[in-house]
Amino acid sequence: MLLSKSCVYGLRAALYLAAKRDGSYYSIRTMSEELDISFHFLTKILQQLTADSLLESYKGPNGGVRLSAKGKKSTLFDLVIAIDGPGLFTECALGLPGCGSEEPCPLHNSWIDTRASIENMLKRTNLTKIAEEGKEKHFRLTADGHFSWS
Amino acid sequence: MLLSKSCVYGLRAALYLAAKRDGSYYSIRTMSEELDISFHFLTKILQQLTADSLLESYKGPNGGVRLSAKGKKSTLFDLVIAIDGPGLFTECALGLPGCGSEEPCPLHNSWIDTRASIENMLKRTNLTKIAEEGKEKHFRLTADGHFSWS
DNA sequence: TTAGTTTAAGACAATAAACTCTTAAATAGG
DNA sequence: CCTATTTAAGAGTTTATTGTCTTAAACTAA
């Protein structure tokens, strides 16, 4: 699996918030139901993003989370780093510490290119742009197509 | 992590066998020590490759495992499929079942390209060719550079 | 001020992945 | 035949990931 489940849930939630392009707070409970993700688990993941200032949260009635200014400008790469850390983009494909161009593993030269293409894919556009594109193309964020981009 | 640890261990062991270009049997115990992988764990992984006819095994004194004819022709892709299964090359990056060009997730179009580049990287050459290249370039298979391509 | 709502925090439980250990079966060589 | 060696098979353990539950803190509105 390329990304952990935590990471995938975090991405889907961030995309959900980007899709709602007003800047209001959305409750994690509602998001968890619409995206079909465990509420408590999603809460913990979004706390990481809040701690990283990609989200802003507000407690109490009508509270919830929303994208921060930083979050709106951020790319999927930034979200992946915040949740899964940088390992995917720094480590040897065979897990060999010290693998590099001086002493490469058999995959090294191929892997650095492929790794860069993964990185570029995730860096291509920020959340605001993905949200605009999503409105045109009606991207899905759920298994059942239950989510509607608005 | 792109590949599971089981898969990485399996790849390193298969590359080890490819590096020894004589067709003799190598004991899993020796391989586990030279590659610094748990013996019993490596045994189980190599059993999967044997079951898939990528390796041949022989019991008893001077026994061990070696690449089969199929194994020598196989690519790293074949080994990954044998150990981790096809998920990496078939599933949606956001884990959404039914994701496809009709109803894509926000990553879909980028991901199918990136996924193909991972697949191509792993399919590029077979084990015999990697072994030849490894002899020229002295690829590493261990953390400590302890392995010598011969 | 009080009750209800929501995120924060952390303990806890279930599952999966990674790793270990024991026993069985096959083989070689004395 | 007997013993040592090696893979096969599978049970068991540990660790990491995923998921659940409870309590606290912040906030709203009546």
Side-chain angles (χ1 to χ4, degrees), chain B residues 13-107:
Chain B
L15 288 162
Y16 176 101
L17 291 171
K20 316 291 183 187
R21 279 156 309 150
D22 61 345
S24 62
Y25 289 101
Y26 285 86
S27 91
I28 301 176
R29 172 74 64 186
T30 303
M31 292 173 57
S32 76
E33 285 163 1
E34 295 199 18
L35 296 175
D36 197 35
I37 300 170
S38 146
F39 165 67
H40 291 286
F41 194 31
L42 183 57
T43 297
K44 250 203 317 203
I45 295 161
L46 297 189
Q47 278 171 23
Q48 288 182 258
L49 298 181
T50 303
D52 216 339
S53 301
L54 294 165
L55 298 184
E56 290 165 347
S57 69
Y58 201 82
K59 291 178 184 174
N62 306 314
V65 294
R66 67 181 181 191
L67 288 172
S68 67
K70 179 183 174 189
K72 287 176 186 169
K73 285 184 294 185
S74 73
T75 65
L76 299 181
F77 179 79
D78 299 314
L79 294 163
V80 171
I81 294 287
I83 299 170
D84 275 350
L88 181 61
F89 311 103
T90 60
E91 284 168 13
C92 168
L94 295 183
L96 300 175
C99 177
S101 51
E102 336 75 53
E103 280 189 299
C105 80
L107 277 164

Side-chain angles (χ1 to χ4, degrees), chain A residues 4-23:
Chain A
S4 70
K5 281 199 163 194
S6 292
C7 191
V8 165
Y9 293 163
L11 291 181
R12 287 171 55 207
L15 289 162
Y16 177 100
L17 291 171
K20 316 292 185 184
R21 281 157 305 150
D22 60 345

Side-chain angles (χ1 to χ4, degrees), chain A residues 1-3 8 11-12 15 76 88 93-100 103-107 109-111 114 117-118 121-122 124 130 137-143 145 149, chain B residues 1-3 8 11-12 15 76 88 93-100 103-107 109-111 114 117-118 121-122 124 130 137-143 145 149:
Chain A
M1 198 181 352
L2 188 76
L3 305 172
V8 165
L11 291 181
R12 287 171 55 207
L15 289 162
L76 299 181
L88 181 61
L94 295 183
L96 300 175
C99 177
E103 280 189 300
C105 81
L107 277 163
N109 285 302
S110 305
W111 174 234
T114 305
S117 90
I118 297 172
M121 168 189 82
L122 295 171
R124 189 163 302 141
I130 297 175
K137 300 187 182 172
H138 301 290
F139 289 147
R140 68 158 65 186
L141 288 181
T142 61
W149 211 274
Chain B
M1 202 179 351
L2 188 76
L3 305 172
V8 165
L11 291 181
R12 286 171 55 208
L15 288 162
L76 299 181
L88 181 61
L94 295 183
L96 300 175
C99 177
E103 280 189 299
C105 80
L107 277 164
N109 285 303
S110 305
W111 174 233
T114 304
S117 89
I118 297 173
M121 167 188 82
L122 295 170
R124 189 162 303 143
I130 296 175
K137 300 189 182 169
H138 300 289
F139 289 148
R140 69 158 63 189
L141 288 181
T142 61
W149 211 273

Side-chain angles (χ1 to χ4, degrees), chain A:
Chain A
M1 198 181 352
L2 188 76
L3 305 172
S4 70
K5 281 199 163 194
S6 292
C7 191
V8 165
Y9 293 163
L11 291 181
R12 287 171 55 207
L15 289 162
Y16 177 100
L17 291 171
K20 316 292 185 184
R21 281 157 305 150
D22 60 345
S24 60
Y25 290 101
Y26 284 86
S27 92
I28 301 175
R29 174 70 67 185
T30 304
M31 291 173 58
S32 75
E33 285 164 0
E34 294 199 18
L35 296 175
D36 198 34
I37 301 169
S38 145
F39 165 67
H40 288 104
F41 194 29
L42 183 57
T43 297
K44 250 203 315 205
I45 295 161
L46 298 189
Q47 278 170 25
Q48 290 182 256
L49 298 180
T50 303
D52 217 339
S53 301
L54 293 165
L55 299 184
E56 291 165 347
S57 69
Y58 202 82
K59 291 177 183 173
N62 305 314
V65 294
R66 67 181 181 191
L67 288 173
S68 67
K70 179 183 174 187
K72 287 177 186 167
K73 285 184 294 186
S74 73
T75 66
L76 299 181
F77 178 78
D78 299 314
L79 294 163
V80 171
I81 294 286
I83 298 170
D84 276 351
L88 181 61
F89 312 103
T90 60
E91 284 168 13
C92 168
L94 295 183
L96 300 175
C99 177
S101 51
E102 336 77 51
E103 280 189 300
C105 81
L107 277 163
H108 180 75
N109 285 302
S110 305
W111 174 234
I112 54 176
D113 291 343
T114 305
R115 197 170 71 180
S117 90
I118 297 172
E119 190 170 325
N120 289 336
M121 168 189 82
L122 295 171
K123 280 183 171 169
R124 189 163 302 141
T125 59
N126 63 35
L127 285 181
T128 300
K129 286 194 179 167
I130 297 175
E132 286 168 16
E133 198 188 350
K135 179 150 186 170
E136 293 166 26
K137 300 187 182 172
H138 301 290
F139 289 147
R140 68 158 65 186
L141 288 181
T142 61
D144 54 12
H146 172 228
F147 165 81
S148 82
W149 211 274
S150 60

